[in-house]
Amino acid sequence: MLLHVRLSGWACWCLFSGVFSVFSLQQRLTVNLNGKWRLSNSNGSLLLPAQVPGCVHSALQQQGYITDPYFRFNDVSYRWIALDNWTYTTTFTLSAELSVKQKVLLVFDGVDTVGSVSLNGIAVGKTNNMFCRHDFSVKDLLKDGENVLQVGLLSPILYASEQRKAHTSYVVPPECPPGVQKGECHVNFIRKEQSSFSWDWGPSFPTMGLWKGVRLEAFDILQLVQVSSVPLYNDAFSQWRVQIELLIDAVQTARGQLTLSIPELDSEQTFQTHFNPGKTKSNFTILINTASQVKLWWPNGHGEQPFYRLTIRGFQDEFLIFSTESKVYFRTVELIQEPVVGSPGLSFYFRINGKPIFLKGSNWIPVHSFQDQVTPDVLKNLLQSAVDANMNALRVWGGGVYEQDLFYEICDELGIMVWQDFMFACAMYPTETDFIQTVREEVVQQVQRLKSHPSIIIWSGNNENEAALATDWFDIPASQRPKYIRDYVMLYVDNIKKLVQEEDQSRPFLVSSPTNGAESEQEGWVAENPYDPHYGDVHFYSYILDCWDWRTFPRTRFASEYGFQSWPSFSTLQPVSIKEDWSYGSNFTSHRQHHEDGNQQMILQTALHFHLPNATDPLKRFTDTLYITQVMQAQCVKTQTEFYRRSRSEIIEGKGHTMGALYWQLNDIWQAPSWSSIEFGGKWKMLHYFAQSFFAAVFPVAFEEDDTLVIYAISDLSRDLKLRAVVNVFSWTELDPVCTLNSSMLLVPGGSAVAVFKQPVASLLAGCGNCTRLTCLLTFQLEDDSSQQGPTNYHFLCSPKDAQGLRRPNITVKVEEKKTCFSVTLHSDSVAPFVWLDVGNIPGRFSSNGFLMVSRNRTVDFNAWRPTSVAELTASLTITSLRDIY
Ligand SMILES: *[C@@H]1O[C@H](CO)[C@@H](O)[C@H](O)[C@H]1NC(C)=O
Ligand SMILES: *[C@@H]1O[C@H](CO)[C@@H](O)[C@H](O)[C@H]1NC(C)=O
Ligand SMILES: *[C@@H]1O[C@H](CO)[C@@H](O)[C@H](O)[C@H]1NC(C)=O
Ligand SMILES: *[C@@H]1O[C@H](CO)[C@@H](O)[C@H](O)[C@H]1NC(C)=O
Ligand SMILES: *[C@@H]1O[C@H](CO)[C@@H](O)[C@H](O)[C@H]1NC(C)=O
Ligand SMILES: *[C@@H]1O[C@H](CO)[C@@H](O)[C@H](O)[C@H]1NC(C)=O
Ligand SMILES: *[C@@H]1O[C@H](CO)[C@@H](O)[C@H](O)[C@H]1NC(C)=O
Ligand SMILES: *[C@@H]1O[C@H](CO)[C@@H](O)[C@H](O)[C@H]1NC(C)=O
Ligand SMILES: *[C@@H]1O[C@H](CO)[C@@H](O)[C@H](O)[C@H]1NC(C)=O
């Protein structure tokens, strides 16, 4: 029955879900079932309260049954948790209002993972996909008075292994992760966060739980389940239209009238419609008045992120039956793959609102092994850190989770472009009907949930699975390859790609990353070499080759993964370790390293250019080692990123026009060595401070080619600049420049990289006192007529380990409190490379860090993320520079 309420003097229920607020006059009722449940293991030896949303590990920790799972070797010690089965139970009382509703749904926003749900002892349904929302119609099972709801969860390790055993026809590799990861096997057989069985940067914690909300939804005629809106631009008519899709759950056929409006754009349309019983999708298009000046959403650094309010109202006769409001952001995105002059292959770049944009950023992995511990503050801090480092893009990597709504809302607001993978990574996957069916459900649900977000600029089918097949990671015999390729095409092309393109025509779809894109398609979706720099995107890693030599990097169209490991700082490791762990050779140090030979590789790469720490005090030696791995990583990723940015405008030997640099990886899942630029807990590594500079909109880059120093001016701005390079030559022994060189003014068009300075190193040094490669170094910057443009950069003429005259600096420091932050003023008596300020476990960040000090004084700000004082900061502050570690 419809509750008739006159439009005048209306009362309403307001249910907030994400950006949408739903007003319903037909009294949709929601009973929140989140909160304290009871949790028990299979034999009943453990019985404890458990928070929902949550997981078993978090509950055990909160109730004191286990200590911090991240402490020392606990990932191995707590393996038993995921080998057991667990049951969540709650009870609730039915209200009179609810019991008279025609339809009652029991909704789980996310069950992790293999569950069987029962209500009052009667089976309601099963789950086996962490990425799906489930609803079960339960009206007939509800009782007056107390109801008992139970979710039994099967060990995901056991389930994966049983699925594997049932798959007898052929192997679906890999069977198990490498031993160094101390992980679990067959994760590709379960639709669950793939990295939860361990990864090369993360522990094995195969979670189980109700990781998202649980509730009852009750209604009489119909309810609006989901709204999505996608703006599309028609070039021919220069007109925007907004495609709006409603997912409606109706008890009975309902006729009505629907009004869609964007008042600020003077656009409103009314449709006569009817809703069939059951869950149905209907879509509507609202044309935007061509006279309206639509303000566009732009990526960070290219403009603002304005939005409009979209109102949707459903009427029956003149009675309002539902009303919702959401945000619409207007922007277009195209992935351009077309012939390139002077180059074989195809371009690969994104055009947003018609403008080619260089993507600068990183890759996003799960923020925590236990998703229930990811707070809004943690998300905000990480995403703000990305923007503060001048990033405009993040790739949500395919071995984690589809992130929560808030993640994409913040990306919309901050102008972060998201490259969204589907959650398949580094493996072959089964293609049995059941598996395909659950994947299809997952894909449709996720696309519907996420497609309204302008931040998502591309969908991508999987991480590295084309490359895994093409370059035979899993030793598949040649005779069997066709079968695996067929499975690959069936899953990612015939199912995922097809579904996504049916659901969303507003952004491109790429089958894999890395891929040759259109060329891979030509080759039957698995290219001979998906790493071909003439096509698509490339992932490139080399730990042994000298990272200071840009010649080792592929001049790709788009670098979507590349990176180097480093260790997090001592203050991050300290809470999860004890004294005996604090050496580079400890069991702990090798336990936390999940990448084969990773610790050794870091040292070898470091030793190419730096003295290794040799303090006699073991703790100092350890912390110096943590420091120098961060120096190495920052310097390596800087060199590689500079190479990609300066390759944007040119084609050299048929390669170039690079239009993206997303290094691996932004964040960490625990306290361990990894490729991240931000430590677990949010502390910036040296690399992240470097990114602030090397991703700056206007930036100078230097490199040597045939002993000639070349400086490029790089600009991501829309307008043209006239710039010259100013080079200061310093001796390692002195704080005043030995000499200064200027280039002439040159035009640097918006969105380009232009060589502005070229001089043989020998002639440059000859004109500059007694300088040699070993005694001098360069800093340089760009200037227009009136001022410096972009940050100052530097170029070493030798490895710092060979530098002659580099002394141990005497750096004194003064901390002062300012209005909104603290200032730290450094005074140095000599040149100091990689000056690193660390305030231990006082959370916050500096305005700049890890810098080259070639001036007597330098002041940086410290923004604390909790109250602190000059005294506390002064006591905690340590300063390390390169010459302090040997
Ligand atoms: C019950 O299960 C736990 C966890 O698997 C195990 O440690 C314990 O020994 C079992 N207790 C009994 C009585 O079987
Ligand atoms: C978990 O449940 C499965 C399926 O019922 C069963 O085979 C297995 O023995 C159970 N595990 C434990 C530890 O009880
Ligand atoms: C919207 O509906 C039309 C007509 O029913 C259909 O052709 C179109 O594919 C639908 N669009 C979406 C995004 O579902
Ligand atoms: C390190 O691990 C090995 C092998 O597990 C063990 O034998 C050794 O005692 C451990 N050493 C320390 C210092 O804990
Ligand atoms: C370089 O330019 C600066 C102004 O930016 C000027 O002061 C200086 O004299 C110039 N030096 C040379 C060698 O041209
Ligand atoms: C070059 O070195 C010589 C000898 O060390 C010294 O006397 C002279 O002053 C130096 N010249 C400059 C320009 O630094
Ligand atoms: C370091 O510099 C400070 C201030 O300039 C001075 O007071 C102090 O004696 C110096 N320390 C050393 C070891 O030279
Ligand atoms: C640099 O710092 C020193 C000591 O803190 C101070 O005496 C001096 O005035 C400063 N110089 C400049 C140029 O700020
Ligand atoms: C560390 O190495 C440096 C440079 O090789 C050397 O001068 C110093 O004596 C060494 N220190 C120790 C404690 O071995």
Side-chain angles (χ1 to χ4, degrees):
M1 258 299 294
L2 188 71
L3 185 81
H4 281 221
V5 179
R6 287 246 151 226
L7 265 181
S8 51
W10 48 293
C12 73
W13 259 259
C14 306
L15 307 170
F16 292 94
S17 59
V19 292
F20 305 114
S21 52
V22 179
F23 306 93
S24 167
L25 291 196
Q26 43 117 18
Q27 301 205 359
R28 164 173 124 156
L29 275 183
T30 299
V31 178
N32 187 340
L33 298 177
N34 295 339
K36 278 267 179 308
W37 289 46
R38 293 188 307 283
L39 176 63
S40 61
N41 63 340
S42 353
N43 67 15
S45 65
L46 293 168
L47 180 60
L48 58 149
Q51 195 65 34
V52 169
C55 69
V56 173
H57 290 82
S58 294
L60 288 169
Q61 188 186 358
Q62 278 148 16
Q63 294 303 314
Y65 288 88
I66 60 172
T67 59
D68 180 0
Y70 285 171
F71 186 71
R72 299 194 77 208
F73 309 94
N74 279 351
D75 54 322
V76 172
S77 316
Y78 296 155
R79 184 168 179 246
W80 61 270
I81 296 168
L83 290 168
D84 207 341
N85 307 319
W86 296 83
T87 302
Y88 277 84
T89 309
T90 192
T91 52
F92 60 90
T93 313
L94 206 60
S95 69
E97 298 98 301
L98 195 127
S99 57
V100 299
K101 291 287 169 193
Q102 288 192 31
K103 187 158 184 181
V104 183
L105 294 176
L106 171 61
V107 180
F108 294 87
D109 281 330
V111 177
D112 178 14
T113 293
V114 186
S116 31
V117 180
S118 68
L119 184 57
N120 299 322
I122 298 171
V124 167
K126 288 180 174 298
T127 68
N128 64 6
N129 187 332
M130 175 187 188
F131 307 121
C132 286
R133 169 193 143 120
H134 299 273
D135 49 33
F136 304 107
S137 189
V138 293
K139 180 168 167 67
D140 298 341
L141 300 179
L142 290 166
K143 305 189 298 200
D144 289 339
E146 195 170 83
N147 289 266
V148 180
L149 173 60
Q150 210 162 55
V151 183
L153 295 169
L154 182 67
S155 157
I157 302 171
L158 181 67
Y159 174 84
S161 126
E162 282 178 350
Q163 294 298 109
R164 157 68 185 93
K165 272 188 225 139
H167 196 283
T168 49
S169 47
Y170 57 97
V171 172
V172 185
E175 298 266 48
C176 296
V180 67
Q181 287 178 206
K182 295 164 277 282
E184 302 296 348
C185 301
H186 312 303
V187 72
N188 47 349
F189 281 90
I190 179 169
R191 289 312 295 148
K192 175 172 174 54
E193 176 189 322
Q194 298 289 283
S195 61
S196 68
F197 277 38
S198 83
W199 213 261
D200 60 2
W201 37 253
S204 171
F205 284 115
T207 46
M208 282 169 281
L210 303 174
W211 73 299
K212 298 196 168 190
V214 185
R215 66 189 167 277
L216 292 171
E217 288 174 357
F219 51 95
D220 285 323
I221 307 275
L222 58 78
Q223 77 160 344
L224 190 52
V225 181
Q226 190 149 43
V227 179
S228 57
S229 60
V230 171
L232 296 166
Y233 188 69
N234 185 325
D235 268 317
F237 299 103
S238 306
Q239 184 170 39
W240 283 101
R241 62 185 201 280
V242 181
Q243 207 174 58
I244 293 153
E245 197 176 273
L246 306 183
L247 182 59
I248 292 206
D249 194 348
V251 177
Q252 62 201 52
T253 306
R255 288 191 174 283
Q257 189 181 313
L258 201 66
T259 300
L260 313 175
S261 72
I262 304 181
E264 268 185 281
L265 290 175
D266 243 352
S267 302
E268 175 165 310
Q269 254 150 291
T270 296
F271 301 84
Q272 302 302 326
T273 183
H274 72 274
F275 304 105
N276 295 322
K279 238 193 219 175
T280 49
K281 265 193 318 194
S282 32
N283 70 52
F284 305 90
T285 299
I286 165 169
L287 290 174
I288 302 300
N289 196 332
T290 46
S292 305
Q293 193 62 45
V294 175
K295 286 180 286 181
L296 301 177
W297 180 94
W298 286 99
N300 177 36
H302 294 271
E304 306 283 305
Q305 293 78 38
F307 64 86
Y308 294 90
R309 293 254 161 226
L310 165 71
T311 315
I312 301 171
R313 282 168 298 163
F315 298 95
Q316 238 187 4
D317 304 323
E318 74 269 41
F319 302 105
L320 183 67
I321 50 172
F322 62 80
S323 163
T324 137
E325 199 177 78
S326 59
K327 289 178 179 177
V328 183
Y329 294 84
F330 291 84
R331 62 111 185 82
T332 61
V333 51
E334 301 154 276
L335 174 59
I336 309 296
Q337 301 182 71
E338 60 189 20
V340 180
V341 177
S343 169
L346 298 171
S347 68
F348 189 91
Y349 68 92
F350 289 91
R351 224 156 44 192
I352 308 290
N353 303 327
K355 180 185 180 187
I357 305 255
F358 191 108
L359 267 65
K360 301 181 290 192
S362 188
N363 286 267
W364 175 274
I365 64 160
V367 171
H368 204 293
S369 290
F370 313 117
Q371 283 289 317
D372 51 290
Q373 296 182 31
V374 180
T375 62
D377 281 352
V378 168
L379 281 185
K380 282 179 197 156
N381 192 27
L382 283 169
L383 293 170
Q384 189 63 50
S385 290
V387 161
D388 289 348
N390 290 311
M391 295 183 178
N392 62 20
L394 291 173
R395 170 167 170 255
V396 176
W397 166 77
V401 296
Y402 305 95
E403 277 297 333
Q404 49 182 287
D405 294 338
L406 180 63
F407 172 91
Y408 301 96
E409 286 160 22
I410 301 172
C411 289
D412 294 346
E413 285 162 17
L414 295 178
I416 298 173
M417 293 176 279
V418 173
W419 174 313
Q420 179 67 50
D421 280 1
F422 285 89
M423 295 301 136
F424 301 87
C426 302
M428 303 294 102
Y429 285 86
T431 53
E432 272 61 41
T433 314
D434 290 354
F435 191 85
I436 294 283
Q437 269 318 315
T438 187
V439 167
R440 288 180 65 88
E441 182 63 28
E442 164 190 334
V443 168
V444 168
Q445 285 193 17
Q446 294 298 339
V447 173
Q448 282 178 1
R449 179 172 74 94
L450 300 177
K451 69 180 174 182
S452 306
H453 293 284
S455 51
I456 299 176
I457 59 159
I458 188 168
W459 302 108
S460 178
N462 64 69
N463 172 77
E464 297 184 349
N465 296 351
E466 182 185 346
L469 256 180
T471 60
D472 199 15
W473 293 4
F474 305 124
D475 300 320
I476 293 168
S479 63
Q480 292 192 30
R481 255 176 69 91
K483 183 166 56 206
Y484 290 91
I485 292 178
R486 267 201 307 278
D487 278 0
Y488 179 90
V489 172
M490 191 207 290
L491 180 58
Y492 304 110
V493 182
D494 301 342
N495 281 282
I496 298 180
K497 177 172 185 284
K498 193 157 174 288
L499 273 179
V500 173
Q501 290 180 334
E502 278 165 17
E503 294 290 331
D504 180 11
Q505 290 93 47
S506 75
R507 44 177 79 78
F509 181 93
L510 207 58
V511 177
S512 188
S513 172
T515 180
N516 293 348
E519 172 62 19
S520 288
E521 179 173 357
Q522 287 294 308
E523 295 179 37
W525 303 104
V526 179
E528 196 181 320
N529 172 23
Y531 297 101
D532 189 333
H534 302 97
Y535 298 96
D537 65 328
V538 167
H539 297 185
F540 178 79
Y541 295 97
S542 162
Y543 308 110
I544 301 305
L545 296 176
D546 178 3
C547 78
W548 286 30
D549 182 0
W550 56 268
R551 289 168 195 80
T552 64
F553 306 132
R555 205 186 285 272
T556 166
R557 306 287 191 218
F558 193 108
S560 45
E561 279 193 24
Y562 58 98
F564 294 84
Q565 280 201 332
S566 72
W567 273 83
S569 54
F570 186 65
S571 63
T572 294
L573 292 172
Q574 202 176 8
V576 293
S577 58
I578 60 173
K579 192 157 179 266
E580 71 175 72
D581 301 333
W582 301 336
S583 74
Y584 206 68
S586 72
N587 278 357
F588 173 78
T589 301
S590 50
H591 180 82
R592 302 300 265 212
Q593 175 58 268
H594 278 198
H595 169 63
E596 193 80 55
D597 292 331
N599 288 343
Q600 184 62 13
Q601 286 163 355
M602 276 185 266
I603 295 300
L604 289 176
Q605 183 61 245
T606 301
L608 294 176
H609 299 290
F610 302 103
H611 284 289
L612 295 175
N614 68 352
T616 45
D617 173 53
L619 182 58
K620 175 163 164 47
R621 188 156 167 166
F622 182 58
T623 56
D624 285 349
T625 306
L626 305 180
Y627 161 81
I628 198 67
T629 64
Q630 289 204 17
V631 171
M632 174 276 290
Q633 179 200 33
Q635 191 66 19
C636 286
V637 177
K638 170 182 189 283
T639 311
Q640 195 164 357
T641 306
E642 289 180 349
F643 171 71
Y644 292 134
R645 288 197 70 191
R646 74 172 158 86
S647 299
R648 94 171 262 172
S649 300
E650 56 192 21
I651 294 291
I652 293 181
E653 291 163 0
K655 289 172 276 191
H657 279 192
T658 306
M659 283 297 282
L662 309 180
Y663 65 74
W664 186 267
Q665 74 207 58
L666 183 77
N667 55 317
D668 260 342
I669 197 167
W670 70 335
Q671 310 88 341
S674 85
W675 296 256
S676 79
S677 64
I678 302 180
E679 300 176 6
F680 181 80
K683 189 169 183 168
W684 287 20
K685 286 181 175 174
M686 197 179 293
L687 171 57
H688 207 79
Y689 287 101
F690 275 39
Q692 245 180 332
S693 278
F694 67 60
F695 282 144
V698 177
F699 189 59
V701 166
F703 64 99
E704 288 181 41
E705 184 154 36
D706 304 328
D707 284 325
T708 293
L709 176 77
V710 186
I711 297 176
Y712 273 50
I714 295 159
S715 168
D716 287 343
L717 302 183
S718 301
R719 61 174 201 279
D720 297 350
L721 297 173
K722 286 188 101 172
L723 298 173
R724 75 161 152 248
V726 177
V727 180
N728 282 301
V729 184
F730 286 88
S731 138
W732 287 109
T733 57
E734 271 175 72
L735 283 167
D736 298 305
V738 185
C739 61
T740 300
L741 299 110
N742 295 352
S743 72
S744 47
M745 283 284 184
L746 273 180
L747 177 72
V748 179
S752 73
V754 177
V756 291
F757 181 99
K758 253 187 205 176
Q759 193 172 337
V761 174
S763 83
L764 188 153
L765 293 176
C768 197
N770 288 340
C771 269
T772 69
R773 277 187 173 274
L774 300 184
T775 60
C776 292
L777 70 154
L778 315 173
T779 71
F780 52 94
Q781 69 231 31
L782 300 170
E783 292 179 357
D784 64 12
D785 278 335
S786 50
S787 60
Q788 178 170 344
Q789 297 293 310
T792 300
N793 201 349
Y794 56 82
H795 178 72
F796 297 133
L797 296 160
C798 66
S799 294
K801 67 176 179 181
D802 301 323
Q804 283 174 7
L806 178 59
R807 277 179 290 141
R808 187 164 298 166
N810 175 10
I811 299 179
T812 53
V813 63
K814 192 165 158 201
V815 181
E816 287 166 297
E817 187 159 6
K818 296 205 301 188
K819 267 211 191 76
T820 56
C821 65
F822 293 87
S823 76
V824 181
T825 303
L826 306 177
H827 179 76
S828 179
D829 66 349
S830 67
V831 173
F834 306 105
V835 176
W836 181 247
L837 310 178
D838 192 331
V839 284
N841 59 16
I842 303 174
R845 68 178 177 83
F846 292 93
S847 54
S848 173
N849 209 349
F851 43 80
L852 171 68
M853 194 141 173
V854 286
S855 60
R856 283 173 185 80
N857 296 348
R858 175 150 184 168
T859 301
V860 297
D861 290 337
F862 180 75
N863 270 295
W865 298 335
R866 67 153 165 81
T868 180
S869 64
V870 169
E872 192 192 17
L873 282 172
T874 307
S876 309
L877 181 64
T878 58
I879 300 171
T880 309
S881 78
L882 197 55
R883 197 57 191 79
D884 296 321
I885 66 162
Y886 62 92

